[in-house]
Amino acid sequence: MSFGLKMLGVLGLLLCPSLWANSPMAAPIPVIKVSDSLDQKANQDILYFLDEKNELQAKDVIGQKHPWTVPESANLTFGLETTTVWVQAHFLNESKAPKTVYFEFNPVFLEQIQAYDETGKALDSVGSALPMRRFESVPALKFEVPPGNSVRYFSVKSRSNSLATVVRSSPMHEVKREFDLAVFCTLIGGLLLLMIYHIFLFVTYPNRTYLFYSLFVASTIHFTVSFSSYHKAILPDVIFGFHTDFWWSALSAPILLFFIYLFSAALLDLFPKKPYFSSKDRLKSLLLVLPAMDLLTILAVFATNSAYALIPVRFFALIHMLVLPSVGVVLWTRSRSNSISLYYAVSWIPFTMGAFFIVAWLSGAVEHAYIYSWGLPIGALCQSLLLAFAAGQQLNVVTQDKLKEQRDKLRVMDELENKVVKLKRRDQVIRSFVSLDVVEELDRGEDPLLYQPRNLSKCITFMDMHNYTTFFETYSAFECQKTINEFFKIVNDAVYAERGTVDKIIGDAMMIEFSDPNSCLKAIVELRKNLSAANRQRFEQNLELLQFGTGISHGTMLSANFGSNHKIDRTLIGDPVNVASRLETITRQFEVDILCSKEFIDLQHDYQFYRPAGYVLLKGRAKKSLVYEIFEHHPPAVIEWKLSTRGKIMEAIKLELAGKYHEALAAIQTLIDVCPPHTLRPDTPMDPTLHAMVRAIEEKMRQLELKVPTKEELSQLMDQHRKVA
């Protein structure tokens, strides 16, 4: 053929496109370029034709003439009958090595997919009767593409009205879908929060509106999960590891519509009352057709498990989307003040728009976009939010009377609570100002005024402030009151922790009683430790130290009411009370913190942290009494020192009783010479009690008109004492 004739033919094709447009071989064939990062929708890159009779085999298709065409939209669309779709895909592998490709198909109800090469050899197959775990339950075919150009054929047998294809270089579960995952988690998270909140409302305020809303949101979650699996084929399979079958997706819509009706009926008061179809409730009775439709659809899906069940599902969904919002509009037009009906009708707008988008996408009217594929789940979430708002408005309207009733109840409860608070406060004041025994008698229903005198065996403790005058001269009365109360708190905490009782407070002094001697000793030692810790803080702040003496005694005493009708005091009287008071007084003389009687020490078995302080003639007594110092609250060094001197001090006391005053002075002075200094005040000895004992012996010698030895004479006596020792 001459060159002129060739050019004429080309010019004719250019001027008459109808000549080549109708020629299937002249149309450009789409090619899929294979790479390591391949991940794309393939509907626009394949050729297909339908075998509606399901009669063709691979040998009848490969190499034969068939009406291969490129899909006109992002999804193939055909009927609900079992249909075989033959797909032809052309691959271009520009590398020198073969590459693995995963070709994915996502029909609604898959029966069988088979892959072939250009010679008709079967490559891979998946189907409803075959395990699909290796691809995370997504129907995907795996095969290798050799270098250069190659062709693969696929037969897809299913009952589906749509078919989406994706080609990847790695399995789907390895492909990251951040956007889909974010949308899915947002939807499910928002719905779960709504459901949890309304379950809480239902438990708190039992109302079927909240219950039906919670069930509605639960069905919306089911719908969202099944819908994302049905149309996206990635999220439930990857996240939850299961494949959503046909009935799972088909049931989600009627279940959702059923609970939408229940919630709508509770929200708008659409439940009819007996007798049905009366003149007042005729419209409400007619609406019972809607839940009946939903239940019939659910039964149809279970009974048939067929894609034909999708026809009534979609038809009844359309009826719901038309009838229910119309009811809301009608109710709003009847009463414009009924804003709940308006909010309810508006809530259907996003759901209806989502349904419109998905239908337009599946029908091929619009190209694929995220707003179309996710439109219906997002619309369901928006509808849930708007219905929650409408439910809140309904709660506001319905509960006005309840709120008023609750306010009246709250007012009465507040008045009762104020009275209870006042009674509790009065009880607290009584317990603070009155003896604990008297309060317990009142609690038992007894009359404290009729209390009969009785003898009790108790431990009595007196505590008094030593530097009271100096303290009040240094600080103001308010500062003194605050400081003394801090001391009293330390005492009260320790006393009541050991089941003791503060009998009375007399200015800066306290009288305390215990039934158990061991509890008494434990409480006194503990409070003296806490007082020492408080004094260390005051010393660091250059404040005056709190110096309190403590006297302890034990014995039998009288417990009785003392006073008249104007003022009565429940207290204890007897010799042990006087002894404890006198012992507290002479703690200044002996420069010790705690002095106790011999009767108290005799009750402390296996106790070692005490030593004798001397025989003392207590005021009001005819005979001298041996008193003891308790020093367990001191630092370890002081405790060790006083334990080591206990025997020598007892020896000096015996010498004093025998009238050997010089030898007693020598024994005590020997201890003074080896006594270490005070840790905080190095200019004073650690054991000032020894000096107090020396002063007491010297004062007694003067009273007996005996000569007090000089330093030289005392030194000689000490040498003699050491030799004897």
Side-chain angles (χ1 to χ4, degrees):
M1 183 180 296
S2 66
F3 177 76
L5 291 176
K6 291 181 180 180
M7 291 300 296
L8 183 60
V10 172
L11 182 61
L13 287 174
L14 292 175
L15 294 176
C16 301
S18 59
L19 296 177
W20 52 267
N22 294 325
S23 175
M25 298 307 297
I29 298 176
V31 177
I32 302 174
K33 292 186 178 181
V34 181
S35 65
D36 294 333
S37 59
L38 180 61
D39 181 16
Q40 66 183 47
K41 284 184 173 292
N43 281 39
Q44 298 296 313
D45 300 316
I46 61 173
L47 301 174
Y48 85 103
F49 75 90
L50 300 181
D51 177 16
E52 297 182 358
K53 297 182 179 181
N54 304 304
E55 298 175 348
L56 299 179
Q57 302 295 325
K59 62 181 180 179
D60 302 324
V61 175
I62 299 175
Q64 305 298 322
K65 291 184 178 180
H66 292 284
W68 297 97
T69 58
V70 178
E72 297 180 357
S73 65
N75 291 282
L76 305 178
T77 304
F78 36 91
L80 297 174
E81 295 285 350
T82 300
T83 307
T84 301
V85 181
W86 286 91
V87 177
Q88 180 184 149
H90 293 257
F91 294 92
L92 174 59
N93 182 4
E94 297 179 346
S95 65
K96 297 182 179 180
K99 290 188 178 296
T100 302
V101 169
Y102 297 85
F103 213 102
E104 299 173 5
F105 297 87
N106 185 23
V108 175
F109 199 72
L110 170 68
E111 292 187 4
Q112 184 75 25
I113 302 179
Q114 178 72 52
Y116 304 92
D117 61 9
E118 54 265 34
T119 64
K121 178 182 177 182
L123 299 178
D124 196 7
S125 176
V126 294
S128 58
L130 300 176
M132 293 183 283
R133 289 193 210 81
R134 52 188 182 131
F135 301 118
E136 298 291 333
S137 79
V138 176
L141 299 173
K142 176 183 177 182
F143 52 87
E144 286 189 347
V145 176
N149 293 298
S150 58
V151 182
R152 293 292 181 266
Y153 295 88
F154 308 92
S155 63
V156 183
K157 188 177 182 180
S158 67
R159 285 175 288 167
S160 173
N161 66 336
S162 65
L163 177 66
T165 59
V166 180
V167 61
R168 309 180 193 276
S169 58
S170 58
M172 182 211 63
H173 63 277
E174 296 179 2
V175 178
K176 297 181 179 179
R177 313 291 287 179
E178 292 84 356
F179 181 83
D180 289 339
L181 185 60
V183 173
F184 183 79
C185 292
T186 302
L187 292 172
I188 300 301
L191 292 169
L192 283 175
L193 289 176
L194 289 172
M195 185 173 68
I196 292 171
Y197 174 66
H198 281 79
I199 290 175
F200 168 77
L201 288 178
F202 176 72
V203 174
T204 308
Y205 309 103
N207 188 307
R208 61 184 180 181
T209 303
Y210 306 132
L211 175 62
F212 290 151
Y213 183 84
S214 302
L215 295 173
F216 154 65
V217 173
S219 62
T220 304
I221 294 175
H222 172 207
F223 177 78
T224 302
V225 172
S226 62
F227 191 89
S228 63
S229 171
Y230 171 34
H231 291 287
K232 307 300 290 184
I234 52 173
L235 293 175
D237 296 329
V238 174
I239 298 174
F240 303 112
F242 68 88
H243 177 60
T244 56
D245 293 326
F246 170 76
W247 62 268
W248 169 274
S249 299
L251 283 177
S252 62
I255 291 175
L256 173 61
L257 296 173
F258 179 75
F259 286 117
I260 283 181
Y261 167 78
L262 291 181
F263 171 70
S264 304
L267 180 67
L268 303 178
D269 191 21
L270 299 179
F271 287 113
K273 299 177 182 179
K274 295 181 180 179
Y276 297 132
F277 293 98
S278 61
S279 58
K280 293 183 178 180
D281 289 343
R282 188 169 300 163
L283 176 61
K284 297 180 181 180
S285 301
L286 288 174
L287 291 177
L288 290 176
V289 176
L290 297 179
M293 290 179 180
D294 300 327
L295 294 176
L296 288 175
T297 306
I298 293 173
L299 292 176
V301 172
F302 272 116
T304 63
N305 195 26
S306 169
Y308 285 106
L310 292 177
I311 297 176
V313 167
R314 294 170 180 175
F315 177 71
F316 293 154
L318 178 61
I319 293 177
H320 281 71
M321 286 188 290
L322 293 175
V323 172
L324 289 178
S326 300
V327 171
V329 173
V330 170
L331 294 177
W332 178 69
T333 54
R334 289 181 178 179
S335 175
R336 295 300 178 95
S337 60
N338 187 6
S339 58
I340 299 174
S341 302
L342 179 61
Y343 297 143
Y344 174 81
V346 171
S347 68
W348 281 90
I349 294 177
F351 187 82
T352 306
M353 291 180 63
F356 173 78
F357 287 150
I358 196 68
V359 170
W361 172 48
L362 293 177
S363 63
V366 294
E367 296 295 327
H368 172 265
Y370 276 110
I371 187 60
Y372 302 141
S373 58
W374 281 108
L376 195 53
I378 294 175
L381 174 62
C382 294
Q383 184 188 35
S384 302
L385 293 171
L386 292 172
L387 288 178
F389 180 74
Q393 295 298 313
Q394 187 257 7
L395 173 66
N396 183 50
V397 173
V398 172
T399 59
Q400 286 298 325
D401 294 336
K402 291 185 179 180
L403 290 176
K404 184 179 181 300
E405 181 182 353
Q406 289 178 359
R407 282 195 295 268
D408 295 338
K409 291 182 179 179
L410 287 175
R411 186 180 67 256
V412 175
M413 291 177 62
D414 287 341
E415 294 175 355
L416 293 175
E417 186 176 0
N418 291 334
K419 292 181 180 179
V420 171
V421 170
K422 290 180 180 179
L423 290 175
K424 287 183 177 179
R425 181 60 179 170
R426 181 178 297 178
D427 182 70
Q428 182 181 359
V429 171
I430 292 174
R431 290 178 181 272
S432 300
F433 282 90
V434 181
S435 171
L436 183 60
D437 294 335
V438 175
V439 176
E440 291 177 350
E441 290 173 11
L442 289 172
D443 292 339
R444 293 194 298 266
E446 301 175 3
D447 187 354
L449 296 176
L450 302 179
Y451 180 78
Q452 297 299 316
R454 63 199 66 179
N455 286 325
L456 300 176
S457 179
K458 285 182 175 288
C459 293
I460 296 297
T461 300
F462 271 86
M463 297 189 69
D464 194 11
M465 189 173 183
H466 286 178
N467 55 337
Y468 176 83
T469 303
T470 305
F471 198 81
F472 270 77
E473 289 176 351
T474 306
Y475 302 97
S476 67
F478 295 103
E479 292 175 327
C480 292
Q481 183 261 352
K482 179 181 177 182
T483 304
I484 292 175
N485 280 341
E486 292 176 358
F487 157 72
F488 284 158
K489 183 180 185 307
I490 294 174
V491 175
N492 287 334
D493 291 345
V495 168
Y496 285 97
E498 295 298 328
R499 300 182 300 279
T501 303
V502 176
D503 186 276
K504 60 175 58 66
I505 297 176
I506 312 167
D508 60 329
M510 299 181 73
M511 176 180 169
I512 308 167
E513 58 182 77
F514 290 90
S515 298
D516 182 25
N518 293 325
S519 299
C520 175
L521 179 61
K522 185 177 179 181
I524 296 303
V525 171
E526 182 65 23
L527 72 87
R528 293 302 315 198
K529 288 181 179 180
N530 295 337
L531 183 60
S532 298
N535 273 332
R536 280 194 294 272
Q537 294 181 359
R538 295 182 65 84
F539 179 80
E540 295 173 356
Q541 299 171 4
N542 295 323
L543 299 175
E544 186 76 17
L545 302 184
L546 301 175
Q547 300 176 16
F548 281 84
T550 305
I552 308 174
S553 178
H554 180 271
T556 302
M557 59 206 76
L558 179 67
S559 172
N561 290 340
F562 293 89
S564 64
N565 291 336
H566 296 288
K567 175 64 177 176
I568 297 179
D569 189 16
R570 175 78 59 81
T571 188
L572 302 168
I573 62 172
D575 184 64
V577 179
N578 298 331
V579 170
S581 177
R582 303 294 183 263
L583 290 175
E584 184 280 319
T585 302
I586 64 175
T587 54
R588 300 175 178 84
Q589 174 185 335
F590 285 94
E591 298 189 30
V592 296
D593 295 331
I594 306 173
L595 283 179
C596 63
S597 65
K598 185 176 184 302
E599 291 79 6
F600 181 77
I601 285 295
D602 290 342
L603 298 174
Q604 307 299 327
H605 305 291
D606 300 328
Y607 187 72
Q608 58 178 342
F609 300 106
Y610 69 93
R611 71 177 182 181
Y615 278 90
V616 180
L617 182 62
L618 298 175
K619 184 178 179 180
R621 281 197 166 191
K623 294 182 180 180
K624 290 185 177 181
S625 302
L626 179 60
V627 298
Y628 292 86
E629 174 197 5
I630 294 177
F631 51 82
E632 185 182 354
H633 62 286
H634 285 305
V638 179
I639 293 176
E640 183 180 0
W641 162 258
K642 292 193 175 185
L643 283 174
S644 66
T645 61
R646 185 164 59 180
K648 296 179 181 179
I649 288 179
M650 192 64 204
E651 179 185 352
I653 292 173
K654 290 180 180 179
L655 290 172
E656 180 187 359
L657 288 176
K660 299 179 180 181
Y661 301 110
H662 292 80
E663 289 80 354
L665 286 173
I668 296 174
Q669 189 62 45
T670 302
L671 294 175
I672 292 175
D673 290 345
V674 296
C675 179
H678 196 280
T679 55
L680 297 179
R681 297 186 293 272
D683 56 332
T684 59
M686 178 187 291
D687 193 357
T689 307
L690 299 176
H691 292 273
M693 296 175 69
V694 169
R695 290 193 297 270
I697 295 174
E698 291 177 348
E699 180 64 25
K700 187 174 183 181
M701 291 177 69
R702 293 188 187 96
Q703 292 176 359
L704 297 174
E705 297 181 354
L706 298 176
K707 181 184 177 183
V708 177
T710 61
K711 291 184 178 181
E712 292 76 11
E713 294 173 343
L714 186 60
S715 178
Q716 294 176 3
L717 291 171
M718 292 170 59
D719 292 339
Q720 295 175 6
H721 178 77
R722 293 189 186 98
K723 291 178 181 179
V724 173

